[in-house]
Amino acid sequence: MKITRKLPLRYIQWMSMTLVLTLLLVGCNNNDLTISGTASAQEGDVTLVIGAYSVAKDALTDILPKFQQDWKAKTGQDVKFQESYEASGTQARSIVGGFEADVTLLAMEGDVDKLIKAKLITADWKSKPEKGMVTRSIVVLGTREGNPLAIHDFTDLTKPGVKVLYPNPKTSGGAQWDINAIYGAGLKMSEEQGHKDPAAGKAFLEQVHNNIESLDKSGRSSMAAFEYGVGDVIVTYENELLARIQKGVKYEVVIPQHTILIENPAAVVDKYADKHGTREVAEAFVDYLWTEEAQRVFTEHGFRPVNKKIYDENKSHYPIPEGLFDIEYLGGWNEVRETLYSKRGVWYQVLAGI
């Protein structure tokens, strides 16, 4: 005889809760994922998922609560945030792979292009102010206090015994800016000798890379290694060094004669914002990043603001190097991806020693 046992209701409820929690845990990836906002969402509250590159984390930590207050005052609605911070290339691949971010802040336009190719961003994100760029910076060199090795330009990174740090461009958007800056500096120097020579750019990049000490996964990881004592010089964002100097860390900032202007984009991830019903708050948050309030926070964390008023208030802090160039000097991102980072590109030739 088959005996059927009826499970107690309390046990069934406990099992259901356990299953839900398990599914939630499985659904989270290995990103640095946090949740901020009210302790318990009330009816009408909204949760916005942010997928950002690692270097933006400190600034966003200050910006998110300000936006919460602004949104609450305007709408009466509480907004919570789920935040993920990763190397820019890793973050973009994570979103393409199913991490459902409503909004993304990435290190470079090329990583946004990955989301467009995957049909996740469908609107014209560059129709926003400053063509969708919310911060700027430049590639600089960071040395130990007192600059003991007398580092003054990219050329000094080719000297025997100088240990150089920058992250891996396969995972890090910041690293691609670093590589672009070094390669572009080589092109600029070749122009001074007569003509813009890609072979000279490659040769110069190779000379610098011969002194590489570590290739970390992100700009923030590379900075952490430098702080731990690895290497003599770090190639990095200006804002990364300025933010740490403001906190009392004793570094020297060296601005190369020829270096690249960094521009960092933000965009609504249309497919996921529409899926989650967060379009209105997602658009409002991205727009908020250009406000004077948000731009002041970015400035406090060492970024060069894109808001003209805030930039003019702080321009004395941001010297313009003589040979500053932008991504268009290298042909734009499509050309850079093909020339430098394709399977047969300059960067991979340098890695392979060919």
PDB file of all heavy atoms in Angstrom, residues 131-156:
ATOM      1  N   LYS A 131      28.317  64.206 -26.504  1.00  0.00           N
ATOM      2  CA  LYS A 131      28.295  62.954 -27.262  1.00  0.00           C
ATOM      3  C   LYS A 131      28.331  61.726 -26.345  1.00  0.00           C
ATOM      4  O   LYS A 131      28.947  60.706 -26.662  1.00  0.00           O
ATOM      5  CB  LYS A 131      29.449  62.911 -28.268  1.00  0.00           C
ATOM      6  CG  LYS A 131      29.357  63.995 -29.333  1.00  0.00           C
ATOM      7  CD  LYS A 131      30.470  63.881 -30.362  1.00  0.00           C
ATOM      8  CE  LYS A 131      30.333  64.946 -31.438  1.00  0.00           C
ATOM      9  NZ  LYS A 131      31.416  64.865 -32.447  1.00  0.00           N
ATOM     10  N   GLY A 132      27.668  61.851 -25.200  1.00  0.00           N
ATOM     11  CA  GLY A 132      27.539  60.719 -24.285  1.00  0.00           C
ATOM     12  C   GLY A 132      28.696  60.559 -23.315  1.00  0.00           C
ATOM     13  O   GLY A 132      28.677  59.633 -22.492  1.00  0.00           O
ATOM     14  N   MET A 133      29.683  61.440 -23.343  1.00  0.00           N
ATOM     15  CA  MET A 133      30.832  61.333 -22.450  1.00  0.00           C
ATOM     16  C   MET A 133      30.557  62.097 -21.157  1.00  0.00           C
ATOM     17  O   MET A 133      30.188  63.277 -21.204  1.00  0.00           O
ATOM     18  CB  MET A 133      32.098  61.874 -23.122  1.00  0.00           C
ATOM     19  CG  MET A 133      32.405  61.210 -24.454  1.00  0.00           C
ATOM     20  SD  MET A 133      32.666  59.419 -24.292  1.00  0.00           S
ATOM     21  CE  MET A 133      32.539  58.897 -26.016  1.00  0.00           C
ATOM     22  N   VAL A 134      30.773  61.456 -20.013  1.00  0.00           N
ATOM     23  CA  VAL A 134      30.457  62.103 -18.732  1.00  0.00           C
ATOM     24  C   VAL A 134      31.704  62.564 -17.978  1.00  0.00           C
ATOM     25  O   VAL A 134      31.609  63.403 -17.078  1.00  0.00           O
ATOM     26  CB  VAL A 134      29.624  61.178 -17.817  1.00  0.00           C
ATOM     27  CG1 VAL A 134      28.237  60.966 -18.401  1.00  0.00           C
ATOM     28  CG2 VAL A 134      30.320  59.847 -17.563  1.00  0.00           C
ATOM     29  N   THR A 135      32.875  62.019 -18.318  1.00  0.00           N
ATOM     30  CA  THR A 135      34.128  62.458 -17.694  1.00  0.00           C
ATOM     31  C   THR A 135      35.248  62.416 -18.720  1.00  0.00           C
ATOM     32  O   THR A 135      35.154  61.740 -19.752  1.00  0.00           O
ATOM     33  CB  THR A 135      34.534  61.559 -16.500  1.00  0.00           C
ATOM     34  OG1 THR A 135      34.543  60.185 -16.910  1.00  0.00           O
ATOM     35  CG2 THR A 135      33.588  61.731 -15.326  1.00  0.00           C
ATOM     36  N   ARG A 136      36.315  63.144 -18.390  1.00  0.00           N
ATOM     37  CA  ARG A 136      37.534  63.108 -19.201  1.00  0.00           C
ATOM     38  C   ARG A 136      38.731  62.943 -18.272  1.00  0.00           C
ATOM     39  O   ARG A 136      38.653  63.193 -17.074  1.00  0.00           O
ATOM     40  CB  ARG A 136      37.684  64.388 -20.037  1.00  0.00           C
ATOM     41  CG  ARG A 136      36.607  64.560 -21.097  1.00  0.00           C
ATOM     42  CD  ARG A 136      36.960  65.674 -22.070  1.00  0.00           C
ATOM     43  NE  ARG A 136      35.936  65.802 -23.109  1.00  0.00           N
ATOM     44  CZ  ARG A 136      35.012  66.757 -23.135  1.00  0.00           C
ATOM     45  NH1 ARG A 136      34.999  67.690 -22.204  1.00  0.00           N
ATOM     46  NH2 ARG A 136      34.119  66.798 -24.109  1.00  0.00           N
ATOM     47  N   SER A 137      39.843  62.544 -18.849  1.00  0.00           N
ATOM     48  CA  SER A 137      41.101  62.458 -18.125  1.00  0.00           C
ATOM     49  C   SER A 137      42.200  62.414 -19.176  1.00  0.00           C
ATOM     50  O   SER A 137      41.938  62.607 -20.372  1.00  0.00           O
ATOM     51  CB  SER A 137      41.132  61.207 -17.226  1.00  0.00           C
ATOM     52  OG  SER A 137      42.220  61.245 -16.329  1.00  0.00           O
ATOM     53  N   ILE A 138      43.429  62.208 -18.762  1.00  0.00           N
ATOM     54  CA  ILE A 138      44.534  61.964 -19.688  1.00  0.00           C
ATOM     55  C   ILE A 138      45.379  60.826 -19.129  1.00  0.00           C
ATOM     56  O   ILE A 138      45.324  60.538 -17.930  1.00  0.00           O
ATOM     57  CB  ILE A 138      45.403  63.216 -19.923  1.00  0.00           C
ATOM     58  CG1 ILE A 138      46.042  63.690 -18.610  1.00  0.00           C
ATOM     59  CG2 ILE A 138      44.609  64.325 -20.588  1.00  0.00           C
ATOM     60  CD1 ILE A 138      47.031  64.837 -18.791  1.00  0.00           C
ATOM     61  N   VAL A 139      46.135  60.181 -19.995  1.00  0.00           N
ATOM     62  CA  VAL A 139      47.065  59.146 -19.544  1.00  0.00           C
ATOM     63  C   VAL A 139      48.329  59.821 -19.033  1.00  0.00           C
ATOM     64  O   VAL A 139      48.923  60.663 -19.713  1.00  0.00           O
ATOM     65  CB  VAL A 139      47.403  58.163 -20.679  1.00  0.00           C
ATOM     66  CG1 VAL A 139      48.529  57.221 -20.260  1.00  0.00           C
ATOM     67  CG2 VAL A 139      46.167  57.353 -21.055  1.00  0.00           C
ATOM     68  N   VAL A 140      48.719  59.473 -17.806  1.00  0.00           N
ATOM     69  CA  VAL A 140      49.902  60.044 -17.175  1.00  0.00           C
ATOM     70  C   VAL A 140      50.773  58.930 -16.604  1.00  0.00           C
ATOM     71  O   VAL A 140      50.411  57.750 -16.653  1.00  0.00           O
ATOM     72  CB  VAL A 140      49.519  61.035 -16.049  1.00  0.00           C
ATOM     73  CG1 VAL A 140      48.708  62.199 -16.598  1.00  0.00           C
ATOM     74  CG2 VAL A 140      48.760  60.314 -14.929  1.00  0.00           C
ATOM     75  N   LEU A 141      51.893  59.321 -16.019  1.00  0.00           N
ATOM     76  CA  LEU A 141      52.801  58.393 -15.355  1.00  0.00           C
ATOM     77  C   LEU A 141      52.813  58.706 -13.868  1.00  0.00           C
ATOM     78  O   LEU A 141      52.880  59.874 -13.468  1.00  0.00           O
ATOM     79  CB  LEU A 141      54.214  58.518 -15.923  1.00  0.00           C
ATOM     80  CG  LEU A 141      54.331  58.432 -17.450  1.00  0.00           C
ATOM     81  CD1 LEU A 141      55.782  58.672 -17.874  1.00  0.00           C
ATOM     82  CD2 LEU A 141      53.831  57.088 -17.947  1.00  0.00           C
ATOM     83  N   GLY A 142      52.752  57.669 -13.046  1.00  0.00           N
ATOM     84  CA  GLY A 142      52.849  57.836 -11.613  1.00  0.00           C
ATOM     85  C   GLY A 142      54.146  57.224 -11.105  1.00  0.00           C
ATOM     86  O   GLY A 142      54.514  56.105 -11.496  1.00  0.00           O
ATOM     87  N   THR A 143      54.854  57.970 -10.257  1.00  0.00           N
ATOM     88  CA  THR A 143      56.104  57.464  -9.693  1.00  0.00           C
ATOM     89  C   THR A 143      56.037  57.514  -8.170  1.00  0.00           C
ATOM     90  O   THR A 143      55.139  58.119  -7.592  1.00  0.00           O
ATOM     91  CB  THR A 143      57.320  58.290 -10.156  1.00  0.00           C
ATOM     92  OG1 THR A 143      57.355  59.542  -9.450  1.00  0.00           O
ATOM     93  CG2 THR A 143      57.267  58.554 -11.652  1.00  0.00           C
ATOM     94  N   ARG A 144      57.009  56.895  -7.543  1.00  0.00           N
ATOM     95  CA  ARG A 144      57.133  56.977  -6.089  1.00  0.00           C
ATOM     96  C   ARG A 144      57.485  58.415  -5.674  1.00  0.00           C
ATOM     97  O   ARG A 144      57.904  59.222  -6.495  1.00  0.00           O
ATOM     98  CB  ARG A 144      58.212  56.012  -5.582  1.00  0.00           C
ATOM     99  CG  ARG A 144      58.075  54.580  -6.074  1.00  0.00           C
ATOM    100  CD  ARG A 144      56.843  53.905  -5.539  1.00  0.00           C
ATOM    101  NE  ARG A 144      56.688  52.557  -6.070  1.00  0.00           N
ATOM    102  CZ  ARG A 144      55.593  51.827  -5.887  1.00  0.00           C
ATOM    103  NH1 ARG A 144      54.576  52.317  -5.201  1.00  0.00           N
ATOM    104  NH2 ARG A 144      55.502  50.610  -6.397  1.00  0.00           N
ATOM    105  N   GLU A 145      57.310  58.703  -4.394  1.00  0.00           N
ATOM    106  CA  GLU A 145      57.579  60.041  -3.879  1.00  0.00           C
ATOM    107  C   GLU A 145      58.997  60.485  -4.239  1.00  0.00           C
ATOM    108  O   GLU A 145      59.963  59.747  -4.064  1.00  0.00           O
ATOM    109  CB  GLU A 145      57.407  60.057  -2.365  1.00  0.00           C
ATOM    110  CG  GLU A 145      57.575  61.433  -1.750  1.00  0.00           C
ATOM    111  CD  GLU A 145      57.357  61.436  -0.245  1.00  0.00           C
ATOM    112  OE1 GLU A 145      57.282  60.337   0.346  1.00  0.00           O
ATOM    113  OE2 GLU A 145      57.252  62.531   0.328  1.00  0.00           O
ATOM    114  N   GLY A 146      59.085  61.715  -4.748  1.00  0.00           N
ATOM    115  CA  GLY A 146      60.385  62.263  -5.128  1.00  0.00           C
ATOM    116  C   GLY A 146      60.866  61.867  -6.503  1.00  0.00           C
ATOM    117  O   GLY A 146      61.924  62.323  -6.948  1.00  0.00           O
ATOM    118  N   ASN A 147      60.100  61.001  -7.199  1.00  0.00           N
ATOM    119  CA  ASN A 147      60.469  60.553  -8.547  1.00  0.00           C
ATOM    120  C   ASN A 147      61.920  60.081  -8.598  1.00  0.00           C
ATOM    121  O   ASN A 147      62.772  60.648  -9.300  1.00  0.00           O
ATOM    122  CB  ASN A 147      60.241  61.689  -9.556  1.00  0.00           C
ATOM    123  CG  ASN A 147      60.279  61.224 -11.007  1.00  0.00           C
ATOM    124  OD1 ASN A 147      60.480  60.039 -11.286  1.00  0.00           O
ATOM    125  ND2 ASN A 147      60.076  62.146 -11.919  1.00  0.00           N
ATOM    126  N   PRO A 148      62.255  59.030  -7.821  1.00  0.00           N
ATOM    127  CA  PRO A 148      63.668  58.619  -7.651  1.00  0.00           C
ATOM    128  C   PRO A 148      64.375  58.213  -8.933  1.00  0.00           C
ATOM    129  O   PRO A 148      65.607  58.306  -9.010  1.00  0.00           O
ATOM    130  CB  PRO A 148      63.569  57.440  -6.677  1.00  0.00           C
ATOM    131  CG  PRO A 148      62.159  56.952  -6.778  1.00  0.00           C
ATOM    132  CD  PRO A 148      61.334  58.169  -7.059  1.00  0.00           C
ATOM    133  N   LEU A 149      63.638  57.761  -9.956  1.00  0.00           N
ATOM    134  CA  LEU A 149      64.283  57.349 -11.204  1.00  0.00           C
ATOM    135  C   LEU A 149      64.278  58.460 -12.258  1.00  0.00           C
ATOM    136  O   LEU A 149      64.642  58.221 -13.408  1.00  0.00           O
ATOM    137  CB  LEU A 149      63.606  56.098 -11.766  1.00  0.00           C
ATOM    138  CG  LEU A 149      63.677  54.848 -10.888  1.00  0.00           C
ATOM    139  CD1 LEU A 149      63.059  53.652 -11.602  1.00  0.00           C
ATOM    140  CD2 LEU A 149      65.119  54.526 -10.492  1.00  0.00           C
ATOM    141  N   ALA A 150      63.850  59.670 -11.845  1.00  0.00           N
ATOM    142  CA  ALA A 150      63.839  60.829 -12.754  1.00  0.00           C
ATOM    143  C   ALA A 150      63.066  60.529 -14.034  1.00  0.00           C
ATOM    144  O   ALA A 150      63.575  60.672 -15.150  1.00  0.00           O
ATOM    145  CB  ALA A 150      65.266  61.282 -13.068  1.00  0.00           C
ATOM    146  N   ILE A 151      61.820  60.096 -13.868  1.00  0.00           N
ATOM    147  CA  ILE A 151      60.936  59.806 -14.996  1.00  0.00           C
ATOM    148  C   ILE A 151      60.266  61.103 -15.438  1.00  0.00           C
ATOM    149  O   ILE A 151      59.605  61.772 -14.630  1.00  0.00           O
ATOM    150  CB  ILE A 151      59.869  58.761 -14.606  1.00  0.00           C
ATOM    151  CG1 ILE A 151      60.530  57.469 -14.105  1.00  0.00           C
ATOM    152  CG2 ILE A 151      58.931  58.500 -15.782  1.00  0.00           C
ATOM    153  CD1 ILE A 151      61.368  56.750 -15.117  1.00  0.00           C
ATOM    154  N   HIS A 152      60.427  61.471 -16.711  1.00  0.00           N
ATOM    155  CA  HIS A 152      59.848  62.730 -17.198  1.00  0.00           C
ATOM    156  C   HIS A 152      58.976  62.553 -18.436  1.00  0.00           C
ATOM    157  O   HIS A 152      58.246  63.475 -18.799  1.00  0.00           O
ATOM    158  CB  HIS A 152      60.963  63.739 -17.504  1.00  0.00           C
ATOM    159  CG  HIS A 152      61.792  64.075 -16.303  1.00  0.00           C
ATOM    160  ND1 HIS A 152      61.288  64.732 -15.202  1.00  0.00           N
ATOM    161  CD2 HIS A 152      63.100  63.816 -16.028  1.00  0.00           C
ATOM    162  CE1 HIS A 152      62.246  64.888 -14.294  1.00  0.00           C
ATOM    163  NE2 HIS A 152      63.354  64.328 -14.769  1.00  0.00           N
ATOM    164  N   ASP A 153      59.057  61.394 -19.081  1.00  0.00           N
ATOM    165  CA  ASP A 153      58.278  61.186 -20.302  1.00  0.00           C
ATOM    166  C   ASP A 153      58.198  59.686 -20.587  1.00  0.00           C
ATOM    167  O   ASP A 153      58.867  58.878 -19.930  1.00  0.00           O
ATOM    168  CB  ASP A 153      58.935  61.918 -21.477  1.00  0.00           C
ATOM    169  CG  ASP A 153      57.931  62.349 -22.543  1.00  0.00           C
ATOM    170  OD1 ASP A 153      56.816  61.777 -22.575  1.00  0.00           O
ATOM    171  OD2 ASP A 153      58.258  63.241 -23.341  1.00  0.00           O
ATOM    172  N   PHE A 154      57.381  59.343 -21.577  1.00  0.00           N
ATOM    173  CA  PHE A 154      57.276  57.937 -21.961  1.00  0.00           C
ATOM    174  C   PHE A 154      58.637  57.351 -22.349  1.00  0.00           C
ATOM    175  O   PHE A 154      58.892  56.162 -22.137  1.00  0.00           O
ATOM    176  CB  PHE A 154      56.309  57.783 -23.138  1.00  0.00           C
ATOM    177  CG  PHE A 154      54.850  57.788 -22.748  1.00  0.00           C
ATOM    178  CD1 PHE A 154      53.967  58.642 -23.387  1.00  0.00           C
ATOM    179  CD2 PHE A 154      54.363  56.943 -21.756  1.00  0.00           C
ATOM    180  CE1 PHE A 154      52.617  58.649 -23.052  1.00  0.00           C
ATOM    181  CE2 PHE A 154      53.030  56.942 -21.412  1.00  0.00           C
ATOM    182  CZ  PHE A 154      52.145  57.801 -22.057  1.00  0.00           C
ATOM    183  N   THR A 155      59.506  58.168 -22.928  1.00  0.00           N
ATOM    184  CA  THR A 155      60.808  57.655 -23.360  1.00  0.00           C
ATOM    185  C   THR A 155      61.609  57.100 -22.185  1.00  0.00           C
ATOM    186  O   THR A 155      62.411  56.173 -22.361  1.00  0.00           O
ATOM    187  CB  THR A 155      61.620  58.765 -24.056  1.00  0.00           C
ATOM    188  OG1 THR A 155      61.660  59.922 -23.204  1.00  0.00           O
ATOM    189  CG2 THR A 155      60.995  59.150 -25.384  1.00  0.00           C
ATOM    190  N   ASP A 156      61.393  57.636 -20.983  1.00  0.00           N
ATOM    191  CA  ASP A 156      62.125  57.147 -19.811  1.00  0.00           C
ATOM    192  C   ASP A 156      61.694  55.741 -19.399  1.00  0.00           C
ATOM    193  O   ASP A 156      62.413  55.067 -18.654  1.00  0.00           O
ATOM    194  CB  ASP A 156      61.935  58.104 -18.634  1.00  0.00           C
ATOM    195  CG  ASP A 156      62.562  59.467 -18.895  1.00  0.00           C
ATOM    196  OD1 ASP A 156      63.677  59.495 -19.440  1.00  0.00           O
ATOM    197  OD2 ASP A 156      61.924  60.485 -18.575  1.00  0.00           O
TER     198      ASP A 156
END
